[in-house]
Amino acid sequence: MDNRNDGLWQGGPWEQPSPVFPDPPAVRIPKAASRRPVLRTRRRRRKWPWFLGLLALIAVICVSTILLDQYFQPGRMIQDFFPPAEEDFYIQDEEYSTEPPSIPRAETGTGVTVSLQPAQEEKLDYVQIYERVLPSTVSIESHTAHGYSAGSGVILTQDGYIITNAHVVAGARKVDVLFHDNRSLPAGLVGFDPVEDLAVLKVEAEGLEPAQFGDSNTLRVGEPVAALGDSLGYRATITDGIVSSLDREVEVDGITMVLIQTSAAINFGNSGGPLLNQYGQVMGINTIKIVTEDGSAEGLGFAIPSARIKYVADHLIAGEEIKPGRSGFSVNTIPAEGGGLELLEVENDSDAWASGLREGDIIVAANGVPIAGIEDLTRIKLGLGPGDTVALTYLRDGERFTVDVELIEA
C-alpha cells in the first residue's frame, strides 16, 4: 500500500524501524497489540431465534431456583442475573472500508481553509475547556449495509463544514450529524482520503460555533491535553492527559502516519473528535489507539496533528487530490557534531540536486527553524506536498548557504 512518508526525509542506516504489530481484530486481540483505527463503534440489532430465547428462559429459571435455595437467608441478597434489556449492542469492526461514503457530494473550491491560531495568554481548566468546545464537537452516525457506526467530528465553519476521520464515514450510505443541542442534519461529502484518515463533511446550517484550531508544532511533551468525543457511545465525554510524545511514526495497515501520542483516554467512538490543548484549541483529531487482549496497553492514544489536518483539509475542500511529496535526499538521523543533519544521498534528478545540495552537506535549518534532529524535519513535512518549497540552510566546509528546494510527487 502507498506509504505517504517515503522519500521526504529518509532516515539513514542507523535508523531503527518501529516494532511491527500484527493486524488482529480490533476488539478481541489474539496476540501482542493492534494499531488499527479502533475508535469507531457499530451498533447492530440483536437477533434471537425463539428457541434460544426459550432455552435461556429455562436456564434462568434453573439457576434462580438453585440460588434461591442456597442463598435465600436473612441478610443475604441475590443479584439480578437477567441480561440488560437493551435492543442493541456495541461491537467493533474487524476491518475498515477505504471506500468513500455514497452520500451526496458537497461543493468544493469554496475557498474555505483551516486557520491555525496562536494560543491566548490565559490557560483554561478542564471545566472551561469542556464548556468552550462542547458546542463545536458533534456526533456522527454513519448508516452502512451492516447497521450504523458512531464517531465524532469538529465544526470548522459556522455554515457547516465539519472535519472527522475517514474511517468514521467510509462505506456509509447515509451520514447524520448530531449537534450538542440534539439537532440532527444529513451530511454531504466534501472530501475523503483514507490514507490520511481524514474527511470533510458539509451540512446545511448557519450560526454554528466553529472550533479554534491551534498549531500542533507549538506542542511540548508533557503539556496537558484533553480528548472530547462519543466514547463508547457516551456523548460528549471528556478525558484528560498529557502529550506523551510528538512526531510519533505509527504504522496503520501498511501506512506510516506521523501522530501525536497522548495519555488521554481514547475509546471506541472518539474517532474524529478533537485533542485539545490547555487553551481549548484543537491540536489534533483523535484517530487510533493501541489495544491488547490482556489489557496491558494503557494510555496509548494517537491524534493527527493540526498542521497535517490543515494541509489535507485545505486540499480536500479545494477539490484537490492529496499526493505524497519527496525532497530527493536522505539524512543521517544521528545529529552531526555541532548540530544539524548530514545529507547521506542526494538524487541526481531532484530539485535538491539542481539547487546545489550534495552528500556531506549539513542541514541546520528549514524555513528558518533550527534543525536539531530528524523530528524537526518530520514536523515541517506535515504541512508540505508536491510543488511546495522549503528553504533549507546548510553548511559546507564551514560556509553557510540557503536554497529553496521544491518537493516533487513521489
Side-chain angles (χ1 to χ4, degrees):
M1 190 178 290
D2 178 23
N3 190 313
R4 289 295 169 105
N5 295 280
D6 284 348
L8 185 54
W9 314 114
Q10 298 177 2
W14 294 275
E15 183 177 9
Q16 298 297 319
S18 59
V20 177
F21 291 84
D23 285 333
V27 171
R28 301 295 297 177
I29 309 297
K31 295 180 182 178
S34 169
R35 297 183 183 186
R36 300 172 64 81
V38 293
L39 303 180
R40 182 180 67 171
T41 56
R42 175 191 288 176
R43 296 174 70 95
R44 287 180 178 169
R45 294 292 179 184
R46 280 194 173 117
K47 296 181 180 179
W48 295 98
W50 67 269
F51 62 91
L52 289 181
L54 179 60
L55 289 176
L57 179 60
I58 295 173
V60 169
I61 293 174
C62 293
V63 171
S64 299
T65 302
I66 295 173
L67 291 175
L68 285 171
D69 181 62
Q70 185 174 358
Y71 290 101
F72 192 68
Q73 302 172 9
R76 299 289 295 272
M77 296 185 65
I78 300 175
Q79 293 183 339
D80 183 5
F81 283 85
F82 287 87
E86 298 176 354
E87 293 183 355
D88 42 29
F89 64 103
Y90 287 102
I91 67 169
Q92 175 61 28
D93 291 338
E94 294 187 0
E95 293 185 5
Y96 283 94
S97 169
T98 58
E99 295 298 320
S102 54
I103 59 178
R105 301 294 301 219
E107 183 182 4
T108 58
T110 57
V112 172
T113 60
V114 178
S115 177
L116 304 183
Q117 301 292 328
Q120 60 185 22
E121 294 184 2
E122 181 182 359
K123 296 179 181 179
L124 307 178
D125 59 33
Y126 286 112
V127 174
Q128 294 170 318
I129 292 174
Y130 181 81
E131 292 176 347
R132 173 170 295 186
V133 185
L134 177 62
S136 306
T137 306
V138 299
S139 304
I140 295 177
E141 292 185 353
S142 300
H143 301 256
T144 69
H146 306 288
Y148 71 93
S149 60
S152 306
V154 178
I155 298 175
L156 176 62
T157 66
Q158 62 87 27
D159 62 344
Y161 281 88
I162 293 169
I163 296 177
T164 186
N165 282 139
H167 75 259
V168 168
V169 297
R173 298 177 177 179
K174 183 175 183 291
V175 175
D176 291 321
V177 176
L178 185 64
F179 298 87
H180 78 289
D181 57 4
N182 289 326
R183 281 187 300 161
S184 179
L185 294 173
L189 180 65
V190 177
F192 176 92
D193 192 302
V195 174
E196 301 286 350
D197 198 17
L198 287 172
V200 179
L201 306 176
K202 179 69 168 66
V203 297
E204 295 302 321
E206 292 291 339
L208 301 180
E209 188 167 334
Q212 184 181 100
F213 285 76
D215 186 354
S216 56
N217 290 333
T218 64
L219 280 176
R220 296 179 298 170
V221 174
E223 182 176 337
V225 289
L228 182 59
D230 288 7
S231 182
L232 289 175
Y234 290 93
R235 291 186 59 199
T237 297
I238 188 171
T239 54
D240 66 310
I242 62 170
V243 176
S244 303
S245 183
L246 295 169
D247 312 310
R248 184 72 82 190
E249 292 191 355
V250 181
E251 185 176 326
V252 183
D253 291 339
I255 300 297
T256 300
M257 305 179 71
V258 180
L259 305 173
I260 302 167
Q261 181 181 334
T262 179
S263 64
I266 295 175
N267 293 290
F268 305 117
N270 274 115
S271 275
L275 183 71
L276 305 158
N277 66 3
Q278 53 196 327
Y279 304 99
Q281 295 178 307
V282 178
M283 306 303 277
I285 293 293
N286 301 316
T287 184
I288 64 173
K289 67 182 292 186
I290 292 179
V291 297
T292 56
E293 186 179 49
D294 61 5
S296 59
E298 296 181 1
L300 290 173
F302 298 88
I304 303 171
S306 61
R308 190 60 183 172
I309 294 168
K310 173 175 173 54
Y311 177 83
V312 175
D314 286 358
H315 281 74
L316 292 179
I317 295 172
E320 300 170 353
E321 182 182 357
I322 310 299
K323 299 179 180 179
R326 55 180 304 174
S327 63
F329 62 77
S330 61
V331 299
N332 185 352
T333 58
I334 297 179
E337 184 177 353
L341 299 174
E342 181 184 359
L343 294 181
L344 296 178
E345 181 183 4
V346 182
E347 299 175 14
N348 294 341
D349 58 351
S350 67
D351 189 58
W353 179 276
S355 299
L357 290 175
R358 296 294 184 267
E359 177 183 346
D361 292 341
I362 298 176
I363 304 295
V364 294
N367 289 340
V369 178
I371 300 300
I374 188 66
E375 297 83 5
D376 297 317
L377 286 179
T378 301
R379 192 173 302 120
I380 292 173
K381 174 189 78 172
L382 295 176
L384 299 174
D388 294 328
T389 60
V390 55
L392 296 176
T393 301
Y394 64 96
L395 299 178
R396 179 186 296 169
D397 299 327
E399 195 171 352
R400 182 182 293 258
F401 303 91
T402 299
V403 294
D404 290 332
V405 176
E406 181 177 329
L407 304 184
I408 58 176
E409 183 177 345

